Amino acid sequence: MPETMKAVDVKGGKGPVSSLFLNDVPKPSPTGAQALVKVKAFGLNRMDLLQREGHYPVPPGASKILGVEFSGTIDAVGDEPERGFKVGDEVFGLAYGGAYAEYIAVSTHMLVHKPKELSWDQCAGIPETWITAIQAMYLIGKFTPGKTILWHAGASSVSIAGIQLSVADSTSAVYATARQDEKCEFAVKTLGATAAFNATTQDWVSEVKKATDGKGVDIIIDFVGASYFQQNLNAVARDGIIVNLGFMGGTKLPEGIDISAFVLKRCTFVGSSLRSRDEGYQGKLRDQLVEHVLPGFIDGRFKILIDKVLPWQQVQEAHTLMQENRTKGKIICTIE
C-alpha cells in the first residue's frame, strides 16, 4: 500500500466552500530535481477559489490539490536537486499545485531558503504574490524608474507587494484604487502610495487625470477585467501598458466600448498569468525575488502583510474570508 497523507480535497471535484474537507490521499515522492517538503503553512490566492469552483484548470501534470505557495522543511530529494538544497533545509516556494497538504513534491528550482528573520507564516505568503507583482510590473509592464503606475484592488496581496515595489524603485507617482475608504487609506498611509481612489464613490479616471495633469498613467495593473476595460483605456497614458491579471469584473465587454485609444494613444493591453509559465521562466522570477526583494524583507524595507492566520482545519472559513473581500493582506493556513 502506498503511503498516504492528509490534504484538503473538494467533494465531487468542484463546488462551494462547504465542499472543502480534509481527506487521505497518496503521499507524493520526489523525482529528478524535486524535493518533498513537509508543509508548515500555505497561502491562499484567488485562483484557489476559481479552481475549487471548477473555473481554473490546473496545468498539465500538476497536482489537482489546491494551493501554489507554502513554507516547510525538506523531507527528501530526488536524484538531481538544485545545488544548495538538502534534507532538513527550511524553505518556502512556489508550485503548480498541491500546497494544501501535509507534503508537497516541488522543483528545487522554485524553492527559496527561509531566512531566520521571517516566520513560517510570513514565508508562506511571499511566493505567488510577490513573484506575480515582479512579473507584472517589470517583465510585462516594462517599468523603469520615473514612470507612473496604478494598481487596482489596492489592498489585495499582489497590489500590496506591487505598491511597495513601485515606491522602492522610484516611480514618479504610484496610485491605487479600492472599493472602501479604509482600504484607500491603507494603500497611502501603510504602503506609501501617492494617492488612492475609491472606485465605488469616486470617478477614479477623473482623479487619475487630475493627478497626472491630464496625461494618465504609464502602467496599469488590473485584476478586474471587463468592467474596467473602458476606464483603463481612458486612464492610461500615451504609449502606456495595461496589464490584465484577472477578471473579477467579468470577461464580456459591454456594447459601446471605444477602442480608439489603441491607435490614438498607442497603448498596449496585455494579459498574463504566472501558473501557466514553464519552470525555467518561473525559476528566473524566483532568482529576481531572492536578489532584489528578499533583502528588503530581512531589513524591514518591505512588509509581508498578513490579515488572518487559521489552522488548516478551518480552510472553509479561510475561503469565505477571501470570497467576501474582507481582508487587507494574506490569508495563511497552518498545519500542526
Side-chain angles (χ1 to χ4, degrees), residues 125-202:
I126 292 172
E128 170 65 21
T129 46
W130 283 82
I131 288 177
T132 296
I134 290 168
Q135 179 201 26
M137 182 172 162
Y138 300 102
L139 272 66
I140 311 297
K142 297 180 171 57
F143 173 82
T144 53
K147 287 189 175 183
T148 53
I149 188 166
L150 167 68
W151 293 85
H152 286 307
S156 69
S157 296
V158 174
S159 289
I160 285 172
I163 291 169
Q164 292 184 76
L165 287 169
S166 303
V167 171
D169 276 3
S170 305
T171 56
S172 59
V174 53
Y175 303 105
T177 68
R179 293 184 176 275
Q180 299 169 22
D181 288 338
E182 180 191 2
K183 290 184 176 181
C184 290
E185 186 176 334
F186 167 78
V188 174
K189 292 188 176 178
T190 301
L191 303 179
T194 309
F197 311 112
N198 188 322
T200 303
T201 61
Q202 292 178 282

Side-chain angles (χ1 to χ4, degrees), residues 136 139-142 150 152 204 217-254 257-273 277:
L139 272 66
I140 311 297
K142 297 180 171 57
L150 167 68
H152 286 307
W204 65 264
V217 286
D218 298 312
I219 303 166
I220 295 175
I221 311 295
D222 174 51
F223 310 89
V224 181
S227 63
Y228 276 14
F229 188 84
Q230 185 69 68
Q231 292 163 293
N232 285 333
L233 290 179
N234 295 343
V236 75
R238 179 169 289 180
D239 294 315
I241 298 176
I242 301 163
V243 182
N244 177 254
L245 300 178
F247 30 83
M248 293 167 63
T251 59
K252 305 290 186 183
L253 295 180
I257 290 290
D258 180 1
I259 64 169
S260 61
F262 287 115
V263 174
L264 299 179
K265 292 185 178 181
R266 303 189 299 266
C267 68
T268 301
F269 182 97
V270 56
S272 188
S273 68
R277 303 286 188 170

Side-chain angles (χ1 to χ4, degrees), residues 24-73:
D24 290 311
V25 301
K27 180 180 173 182
S29 298
T31 59
Q34 289 183 329
L36 181 70
V37 176
K38 182 174 175 55
V39 178
K40 293 272 193 180
F42 58 83
L44 270 66
N45 292 283
R46 198 156 292 277
M47 75 176 82
D48 303 345
L49 308 188
L50 294 172
Q51 183 179 331
R52 188 201 74 225
E53 294 166 350
H55 302 312
Y56 199 122
V58 300
S63 170
K64 289 182 170 55
I65 296 170
L66 298 172
V68 296
E69 60 182 352
F70 59 91
S71 61
T73 56

Side-chain angles (χ1 to χ4, degrees), residues 89-124:
D89 283 355
E90 298 182 344
V91 295
F92 63 96
L94 186 67
Y96 289 107
Y100 287 28
E102 289 182 308
Y103 292 90
I104 182 171
V106 60
S107 170
T108 51
H109 301 298
M110 288 309 301
L111 292 178
V112 178
H113 287 103
K114 173 188 170 296
K116 67 180 186 304
E117 295 86 353
L118 302 181
S119 70
W120 295 111
D121 300 346
Q122 288 175 312
C123 287

